Amino acid sequence: MARSSLDIERDTPAETGSRISRRDFFKAATAGAATVTVGVATVSSAQAQEWDEETDIVVVGSGCAALSAAAAALQNGASVKIFEKGPVAGGTTGKSGGAFWIPNSPYMQEQGMDDPRDDAIRYMCRLSFPHLYRPDDEHFGMDQHTYDMLAAFYDNGARVTKTLNDTGAMTSLMSMSWDGGPTPDYFAHLPENKANHGRTTNPKNAEGGSGFGFDMVRQLSAYTEANGAPVTTETQVTKIVRDDEGRVVGVEISDPDGTRMVRANKGVIFGSGGFTQNTEMRNNYLRVPVRGGCAVPTNQGDLVNMAIEIGAKLGNMNEAWHQQEVLEEVLEFSSVPSGTWFLGGDSMVAVNRYGHRLYDEKFVYNERTRTHLTWDAVKAEYPNLYQFMIFDDHAIGYGGMLMPPAGSDMPSHIIKGDTWEELAANIDARLASLEDKIGKHSLDSTFLETLAKTIERFNSYAETGKDLEFNRGEQPIDKHFHKPGDNNDKPNPWMYPISDTGPYYAIILSAGTLDTKGGPVTTTHGQVVDISDEPIEGLYAAGNCMASPTGQAYFGAGGTLGPALTFGFMAGEHAAKA
Amino acid sequence: MARSSLDIERDTPAETGSRISRRDFFKAATAGAATVTVGVATVSSAQAQEWDEETDIVVVGSGCAALSAAAAALQNGASVKIFEKGPVAGGTTGKSGGAFWIPNSPYMQEQGMDDPRDDAIRYMCRLSFPHLYRPDDEHFGMDQHTYDMLAAFYDNGARVTKTLNDTGAMTSLMSMSWDGGPTPDYFAHLPENKANHGRTTNPKNAEGGSGFGFDMVRQLSAYTEANGAPVTTETQVTKIVRDDEGRVVGVEISDPDGTRMVRANKGVIFGSGGFTQNTEMRNNYLRVPVRGGCAVPTNQGDLVNMAIEIGAKLGNMNEAWHQQEVLEEVLEFSSVPSGTWFLGGDSMVAVNRYGHRLYDEKFVYNERTRTHLTWDAVKAEYPNLYQFMIFDDHAIGYGGMLMPPAGSDMPSHIIKGDTWEELAANIDARLASLEDKIGKHSLDSTFLETLAKTIERFNSYAETGKDLEFNRGEQPIDKHFHKPGDNNDKPNPWMYPISDTGPYYAIILSAGTLDTKGGPVTTTHGQVVDISDEPIEGLYAAGNCMASPTGQAYFGAGGTLGPALTFGFMAGEHAAKA
């Protein structure tokens, strides 16, 4: 299988070498950690002298949003301290592909690729809150706040990208697909999307080529360190400290040496990630029933709890950047090494327990995952809660995500059967073996009969090149996600007939997240607001810990990091100028 | 159409006479209301003398949970003041059917109907968090808190019902279906449900028969008034007041005469309803995209805001008691007069914009409504967001919910066409006329072709009596919801072939709620807990303003009011004994 720049979103650096060691490192680092109570403390002016440390701005976390905020604050003359709860810098950004989606990016502008403001904002509104979207409304059906936030993202994303690049804080370039063209958006096929290629951007790697998340972290953390603000790891911000007028004036931090009070003269900026690794919050807030995700183990919703204690308004709490996961991986450890960005192979389909296909298997992870939420009223079940990716040896030869590389050992989560009957029996045996973790699940008695029809139809689509149900392989993003294998001569190289003879294989898929996208609501400058929409002076949030104005949307590769980088930077600027 | 006790859930008293006036009353009462900022105030001990009024317990709201709490507090020797924000007592309970679901109810016990604890709790867990359910786990897969709450509901529901009945605070009886038997649960057909009839209970009406929500409010409010605690209307609790140690010691109230401080020596109990009428909260918390619901206009999430400001943990924020609504009704006023409990008529189907049926049209509203959430990945649309209930003159003659009574004027929300082509064109014209409110929506170009096939299949099911897709009419609750009309001689009287000739009719359906079911998390005694799970002394919540342990479930008719009555009562007891 050819590797290309598209790997930015689907292959994490962790997979290319250090995966196990980093994962074990995190497991070891979090396994014995005591549950720390986070919250808010109030100091009266009489206590003001008790600070252990002092700085202008405290930054919490060390992913994209946090480091962008730190860089902006430093560039605007502020002193900065950066505290990272985990054992290494980078947070979930460090595991990620590193792409960041910027409408009207400087690289689009350089190449004369138009991305008019109204069109870009329309596209974002259309996807963020589809049930509210009204194309002829001046705010496209959004409330004023959501519209303002999305507009602010458009208005500042390019400037932030250019500033970071030009100052050397983080150099970047346009993301290119394996076919040599600019990377398409995830909904490049929608008529509302005019400038549907080229918004995805990548940090440069050490050689000046297209880099990954760790290149983003490497560049930004080197920049902040060179400017006096290294990332201090294994240091959790346990309390937001406010004065008796309610202004946030510092934090309490805890590290292996104890607890200290750090004064922040200008502000505290959270870029501390979401709540994917907090089971209770997942179940009580999210729309989709998920079991974990890519987010680092430290993303346990600390800011949600502190925001509640300080009286911040919460927003977008029902949403996450969704992806599917290999069920057995997430059951082993809820911080999975990588998302299932797309499903590899050509002679491959994904079906539910009734044997029905549910989507274009090559389409976007965030959208495929929403099918896990479908509810069967009378049966009182989520029929798509667990899904089964089914394939044959030809698909393995074709390659792609979740396909075992040629000559490698078959991972234990791949279930095998020499016939369909044997495969189904082995899937049921596997599900039964997981019963103490997931409860009683099994294939329906109609599974094999329906699967046979599903495969018969799929095979006819593969021969003609036209998927009459889900248009597989026709969306620009389908093509981007997977350069076809070299063993497919069919008219649509993202489909190939599934063999009449085994062996056959299956992988059980569950719903998950990259991370969640709800938290305290902010102004366009990142200031956290209270329940009356008034800014809480001195308190900022950006990235996955904030209420994302993007609702349920994932605009394109880097839809996560683009807003994080932009709003992080704007928070840093605003706090520094406070 | 015959009327029976089953009307308790589907016909509100409002519909039987006072509907318009009450609705207009609420509209008038809320239309000009200024937005009041709610929150939390802290008084130091030096300020303690500034109270305008004093009582043992302040109860906020006057629906089922609030009045049950007040009755319990009075029975345990406490003095009580009840403040109702709206212009009339009763809240959403007053609009409701009044049924309350109590496992192992005293009336089941009287009749020797076994409802073993383990079976009842299993049924509740199975439905509350289906994706977590593990039948062989000691807590059925629930977390300890959820399990404890559901167990507490089982352990106390019967006692509370009996106490209220025996003291005359609220007399009640077992709910009976039109066929003379006890009312079935909503999932009486599930194998996990053993005691699947008889848990639904009703307040007695003035004649000692089966009453409605206003009978519940009438009885309970008369009881509290007779014991010194009348409901004071048009009085909003605007602030929770705590002392400098964090204990809740009173409230600030606002009424047309101004603002006053009321001391509560033993506690403040919220029974103030959910956040259905708060658009921002709906969009930022709920799983299903809804547009409003049955909840009274005053249910704007006041307690969510106050809970955040006081640092309470929030739970079950993604969930609501769901129901479908007539789209044009909810667009007129987001507090609809009544839910669409089931879809009337026999020669009737509900389809999406592609012409596909989605469910058993006679099944439970909470479950049908979840189909509105299905997501089409590639199209980036909710294909079932708006649904179309389609019927003919035979269905009107058969009767049932949403069917215009014989001889009445056709309501404007019923769209008519003499042919299928004309009906589809008129649906599209109606959708276009609503564009400034809902955006661009239309039937798909394949609608008529698919609808023809859908109806052909449905008509064959109607002839044989067997719905091969959704088993319509086979669930016990299907039968309970609708006594068949007397013009249906088919083998399954809940289906009848749709006519080959027009006129045809359509009603556009939207997703909605009775009310939401998230809010501050409580102990089994109703004490609100903080983000560290520690009770906030003096603060209680019950009913739709609390974090319901029932997750996404609706166990049976009265699944809303049963827990509200029980947990309200327990909160009143606990506070009185403080």
Side-chain angles (χ1 to χ4, degrees):
Chain A
M1 168 195 173
R3 302 192 81 82
S4 72
S5 70
L6 63 94
D7 292 330
I8 51 173
E9 279 268 335
R10 71 171 189 259
D11 286 341
T12 70
E15 286 195 319
T16 62
S18 62
R19 165 171 165 175
I20 299 306
S21 61
R22 180 181 164 95
R23 193 180 183 193
D24 286 349
F25 183 43
F26 265 121
K27 271 177 133 164
T30 56
T35 301
V36 178
T37 302
V38 298
V40 176
T42 303
V43 292
S44 70
S45 43
Q47 293 171 303
Q49 73 283 6
E50 292 179 23
W51 302 102
D52 299 301
E53 300 179 25
E54 184 171 345
T55 186
D56 287 339
I57 292 170
V58 164
V59 170
V60 187
S62 64
C64 168
L67 293 179
S68 179
L74 292 165
Q75 292 184 357
N76 284 274
S79 60
V80 174
K81 284 180 185 284
I82 307 171
F83 299 115
E84 164 59 48
K85 185 178 167 185
V88 292
T92 309
T93 303
K95 294 176 67 178
S96 81
F100 57 106
W101 189 89
I102 300 290
N104 194 33
S105 87
Y107 311 111
M108 296 175 79
Q109 295 180 46
E110 279 173 13
Q111 298 192 24
M113 298 166 71
D114 274 352
D115 190 0
R117 184 174 192 270
D118 208 51
D119 288 340
I121 297 174
R122 174 190 302 276
Y123 172 70
M124 292 191 279
C125 293
R126 159 77 178 81
L127 291 172
S128 297
F129 296 90
H131 67 293
L132 303 178
Y133 176 62
R134 288 187 283 127
D136 296 331
D137 179 66
E138 101 185 275
H139 297 136
F140 301 119
M142 305 296 107
D143 61 32
Q144 183 77 47
H145 176 73
T146 301
Y147 180 85
D148 289 348
M149 291 289 285
L150 292 172
F153 173 45
Y154 178 92
D155 292 337
N156 291 277
R159 175 182 70 82
V160 167
T161 303
K162 186 164 165 48
T163 303
L164 287 169
N165 183 74
D166 293 354
T167 57
M170 191 190 74
T171 58
S172 55
L173 42 67
M174 183 180 287
S175 170
M176 304 300 279
S177 190
W178 57 267
D179 66 2
T183 294
D185 282 350
Y186 286 176
F187 291 89
H189 59 289
L190 284 189
E192 291 88 351
N193 197 0
K194 309 293 188 201
N196 52 12
H197 287 66
R199 288 157 169 163
T200 296
T201 314
N202 268 97
K204 284 187 181 170
N205 61 22
E207 292 75 42
S210 188
F212 296 99
F214 66 77
D215 293 301
M216 182 181 272
V217 173
R218 175 182 53 74
Q219 285 202 60
L220 283 168
S221 62
Y223 180 84
T224 62
E225 181 161 3
N227 287 277
V231 177
T232 305
T233 57
E234 293 187 82
T235 304
Q236 182 177 8
V237 170
T238 42
K239 284 195 167 52
I240 297 170
V241 180
R242 59 186 166 189
D243 65 19
D244 43 18
E245 291 181 346
R247 185 187 160 84
V248 171
V249 293
V251 295
E252 177 197 272
I253 60 173
S254 296
D255 66 14
D257 297 328
T259 294
R260 279 165 296 143
M261 298 284 275
V262 182
R263 182 179 177 93
N265 292 314
K266 296 192 165 192
V268 175
I269 304 174
F270 279 80
S272 52
F275 56 83
T276 287
Q277 305 305 342
N278 183 315
T279 306
E280 193 172 48
M281 287 187 190
R282 286 202 310 264
N283 288 327
N284 281 282
Y285 287 115
L286 293 182
R287 183 169 267 159
V288 181
V290 303
R291 282 200 173 267
C294 283
V296 289
T298 43
N299 286 12
Q300 295 168 343
D302 285 2
L303 184 59
V304 173
N305 279 330
M306 287 192 267
I308 284 176
E309 199 159 276
I310 208 164
K313 178 190 260 187
L314 299 177
N316 211 42
M317 295 299 289
N318 45 6
E319 274 300 336
W321 312 97
H322 282 293
Q323 51 118 349
Q324 293 177 304
E325 293 158 350
V326 174
L327 174 63
E328 288 160 274
E329 271 193 354
V330 76
L331 291 177
E332 189 205 347
F333 189 45
S334 75
S335 177
V336 294
S338 172
T340 303
W341 312 122
F342 75 110
L343 307 180
D346 49 359
S347 44
M348 174 278 302
V349 291
V351 297
N352 69 5
R353 65 182 292 258
Y354 295 94
H356 292 294
R357 275 180 79 206
L358 305 165
Y359 43 71
D360 165 5
E361 288 85 353
K362 301 297 176 186
F363 197 61
V364 177
Y365 40 101
N366 184 56
E367 314 306 325
R368 293 197 322 267
T369 307
R370 293 173 191 278
T371 62
H372 290 255
L373 183 50
T374 300
W375 180 245
D376 185 302
V378 173
K379 289 176 182 149
E381 69 165 13
Y382 290 107
N384 310 334
L385 185 63
Y386 300 116
Q387 300 178 14
F388 308 92
M389 177 187 176
I390 286 177
F391 52 97
D392 62 13
D393 278 328
H394 185 274
I396 293 176
Y398 180 93
M401 193 129 201
L402 298 184
M403 293 294 123
S408 68
D409 287 343
M410 195 74 79
S412 64
H413 62 250
I414 296 187
I415 303 164
K416 186 177 176 183
D418 284 332
T419 63
W420 290 121
E421 290 71 20
E422 189 178 302
L423 183 72
N426 289 344
I427 291 173
D428 271 338
R430 185 67 61 92
L431 287 168
S433 77
L434 302 172
E435 186 178 325
D436 63 336
K437 293 178 176 169
I438 65 169
K440 287 187 198 294
H441 289 270
S442 62
L443 301 175
D444 189 70
S445 61
T446 60
F447 178 79
L448 278 174
E449 185 186 336
T450 305
L451 181 67
K453 291 180 192 158
T454 296
I455 289 176
E456 186 184 345
R457 278 200 307 277
F458 174 78
N459 285 357
S460 75
Y461 305 155
E463 292 294 353
T464 63
K466 178 72 183 173
D467 174 0
L468 295 174
E469 288 166 275
F470 301 105
N471 301 308
R472 173 159 144 184
E474 291 181 43
Q475 283 59 247
I477 198 64
D478 294 3
K479 300 177 171 67
H480 167 75
F481 271 152
H482 202 172
K483 181 172 179 177
D486 51 20
N487 61 348
N488 186 320
D489 55 3
K490 297 295 177 188
N492 176 335
W494 292 274
M495 295 194 287
Y496 193 87
I498 295 175
S499 176
D500 288 341
T501 56
Y504 301 114
Y505 308 94
I507 296 173
I508 309 174
L509 300 175
S510 171
T513 76
L514 279 76
D515 200 2
T516 57
K517 58 196 289 197
V521 174
T522 66
T523 67
T524 53
H525 295 287
Q527 289 183 285
V528 171
V529 302
D530 66 18
I531 57 168
S532 306
D533 292 314
E534 291 298 318
I536 297 172
E537 295 294 324
L539 184 61
Y540 297 81
N544 290 341
C545 71
M546 77 188 272
S548 177
T550 65
Q552 69 177 71
Y554 208 127
F555 306 132
T560 49
L561 296 181
L565 197 77
T566 304
F567 287 114
F569 197 91
M570 290 169 74
E573 287 179 310
H574 193 272
K577 293 171 184 167
Chain B
M1 169 196 170
R3 303 192 80 83
S4 71
S5 69
L6 63 94
D7 291 329
I8 51 173
E9 279 268 334
R10 70 171 188 257
D11 286 341
T12 71
E15 287 195 321
T16 62
S18 62
R19 164 170 165 174
I20 299 305
S21 61
R22 179 181 164 94
R23 192 180 183 191
D24 286 348
F25 183 44
F26 264 121
K27 270 177 134 164
T30 56
T35 300
V36 179
T37 301
V38 298
V40 176
T42 302
V43 293
S44 69
S45 44
Q47 293 171 303
Q49 73 282 10
E50 294 179 22
W51 301 103
D52 298 301
E53 300 178 27
E54 185 171 344
T55 185
D56 287 339
I57 291 170
V58 165
V59 170
V60 188
S62 63
C64 169
L67 293 179
S68 179
L74 292 164
Q75 292 184 355
N76 283 275
S79 60
V80 174
K81 285 181 183 283
I82 307 171
F83 300 115
E84 165 58 48
K85 184 177 167 186
V88 292
T92 309
T93 303
K95 294 175 67 177
S96 80
F100 58 106
W101 189 89
I102 301 290
N104 194 34
S105 87
Y107 310 111
M108 296 175 80
Q109 295 180 47
E110 279 174 13
Q111 298 193 24
M113 298 166 70
D114 274 351
D115 190 0
R117 184 175 192 269
D118 207 51
D119 288 340
I121 297 174
R122 175 189 301 276
Y123 172 70
M124 292 192 278
C125 293
R126 160 77 178 81
L127 292 171
S128 296
F129 295 91
H131 66 293
L132 302 178
Y133 176 62
R134 288 187 283 128
D136 296 332
D137 178 66
E138 97 184 280
H139 297 136
F140 302 118
M142 306 295 108
D143 61 32
Q144 182 77 49
H145 177 73
T146 300
Y147 180 86
D148 288 347
M149 291 290 285
L150 292 172
F153 174 45
Y154 178 92
D155 292 338
N156 291 278
R159 175 182 70 83
V160 167
T161 302
K162 185 165 167 49
T163 302
L164 287 168
N165 182 76
D166 293 356
T167 57
M170 190 189 75
T171 58
S172 55
L173 42 66
M174 183 181 287
S175 170
M176 304 301 278
S177 191
W178 57 267
D179 67 1
T183 295
D185 283 350
Y186 286 175
F187 291 89
H189 59 289
L190 284 190
E192 291 89 350
N193 197 1
K194 309 293 188 199
N196 53 12
H197 287 66
R199 288 157 169 164
T200 295
T201 314
N202 269 98
K204 285 187 181 169
N205 62 21
E207 293 76 42
S210 188
F212 296 98
F214 67 76
D215 293 301
M216 182 179 273
V217 173
R218 175 183 52 75
Q219 286 202 61
L220 283 168
S221 62
Y223 180 84
T224 62
E225 181 160 3
N227 287 277
V231 176
T232 305
T233 57
E234 293 188 83
T235 304
Q236 181 177 8
V237 169
T238 42
K239 285 196 166 51
I240 297 170
V241 180
R242 60 186 165 188
D243 65 18
D244 42 19
E245 292 180 347
R247 185 187 159 86
V248 171
V249 293
V251 295
E252 177 198 271
I253 59 173
S254 296
D255 66 15
D257 297 328
T259 294
R260 280 165 296 141
M261 299 282 277
V262 182
R263 182 179 177 93
N265 293 314
K266 296 192 165 192
V268 175
I269 304 174
F270 280 79
S272 52
F275 56 82
T276 286
Q277 305 305 342
N278 183 315
T279 306
E280 194 172 47
M281 287 187 191
R282 285 203 309 265
N283 288 328
N284 281 282
Y285 287 116
L286 292 182
R287 184 170 266 160
V288 180
V290 303
R291 283 201 172 267
C294 283
V296 289
T298 44
N299 286 12
Q300 295 167 344
D302 285 2
L303 183 59
V304 173
N305 278 330
M306 287 193 268
I308 284 176
E309 199 158 276
I310 209 166
K313 179 190 258 187
L314 299 177
N316 212 41
M317 295 300 288
N318 44 6
E319 274 301 335
W321 311 98
H322 281 293
Q323 51 118 350
Q324 293 177 304
E325 293 158 350
V326 174
L327 174 64
E328 288 160 274
E329 271 194 355
V330 76
L331 291 178
E332 189 204 347
F333 189 46
S334 74
S335 177
V336 294
S338 171
T340 302
W341 312 123
F342 74 111
L343 306 181
D346 50 359
S347 44
M348 173 279 301
V349 291
V351 297
N352 68 5
R353 64 183 291 258
Y354 296 92
H356 292 295
R357 277 180 77 205
L358 305 166
Y359 42 70
D360 165 5
E361 289 86 352
K362 301 298 177 185
F363 196 62
V364 177
Y365 41 100
N366 184 56
E367 313 306 325
R368 293 197 322 266
T369 307
R370 292 172 193 279
T371 63
H372 290 255
L373 182 49
T374 300
W375 180 246
D376 185 302
V378 173
K379 288 176 182 148
E381 69 165 13
Y382 290 107
N384 310 333
L385 185 63
Y386 300 117
Q387 300 178 16
F388 307 92
M389 178 187 175
I390 285 177
F391 53 97
D392 63 13
D393 279 327
H394 185 274
I396 293 175
Y398 180 92
M401 193 130 204
L402 298 183
M403 292 293 123
S408 68
D409 287 342
M410 195 73 78
S412 65
H413 61 250
I414 295 186
I415 303 163
K416 185 177 176 183
D418 285 332
T419 62
W420 289 120
E421 290 71 20
E422 190 178 302
L423 183 73
N426 289 344
I427 291 173
D428 271 337
R430 185 67 61 93
L431 287 168
S433 76
L434 302 173
E435 185 178 326
D436 64 335
K437 293 178 176 169
I438 64 169
K440 286 188 199 294
H441 288 270
S442 63
L443 300 175
D444 188 71
S445 61
T446 61
F447 177 79
L448 278 174
E449 186 186 335
T450 306
L451 180 66
K453 291 180 192 158
T454 296
I455 289 175
E456 185 184 344
R457 279 200 306 276
F458 174 79
N459 284 358
S460 75
Y461 305 155
E463 292 294 353
T464 62
K466 177 71 182 173
D467 174 0
L468 295 175
E469 288 166 279
F470 301 105
N471 301 308
R472 173 158 144 184
E474 292 181 44
Q475 284 60 247
I477 196 65
D478 294 1
K479 300 176 170 67
H480 166 76
F481 272 151
H482 202 173
K483 181 173 180 175
D486 51 19
N487 62 347
N488 186 320
D489 56 3
K490 296 295 176 187
N492 176 336
W494 292 274
M495 296 193 287
Y496 194 87
I498 295 175
S499 175
D500 288 341
T501 56
Y504 301 113
Y505 308 94
I507 296 174
I508 309 175
L509 301 175
S510 171
T513 75
L514 280 76
D515 200 2
T516 57
K517 56 195 291 196
V521 174
T522 65
T523 67
T524 53
H525 295 286
Q527 289 183 284
V528 172
V529 302
D530 66 17
I531 57 168
S532 306
D533 291 314
E534 291 298 317
I536 297 171
E537 295 294 324
L539 183 61
Y540 297 81
N544 290 342
C545 70
M546 78 189 271
S548 177
T550 65
Q552 69 177 71
Y554 209 128
F555 307 132
T560 50
L561 296 181
L565 197 77
T566 304
F567 286 114
F569 197 91
M570 290 169 74
E573 287 179 308
H574 193 272
K577 293 171 183 168

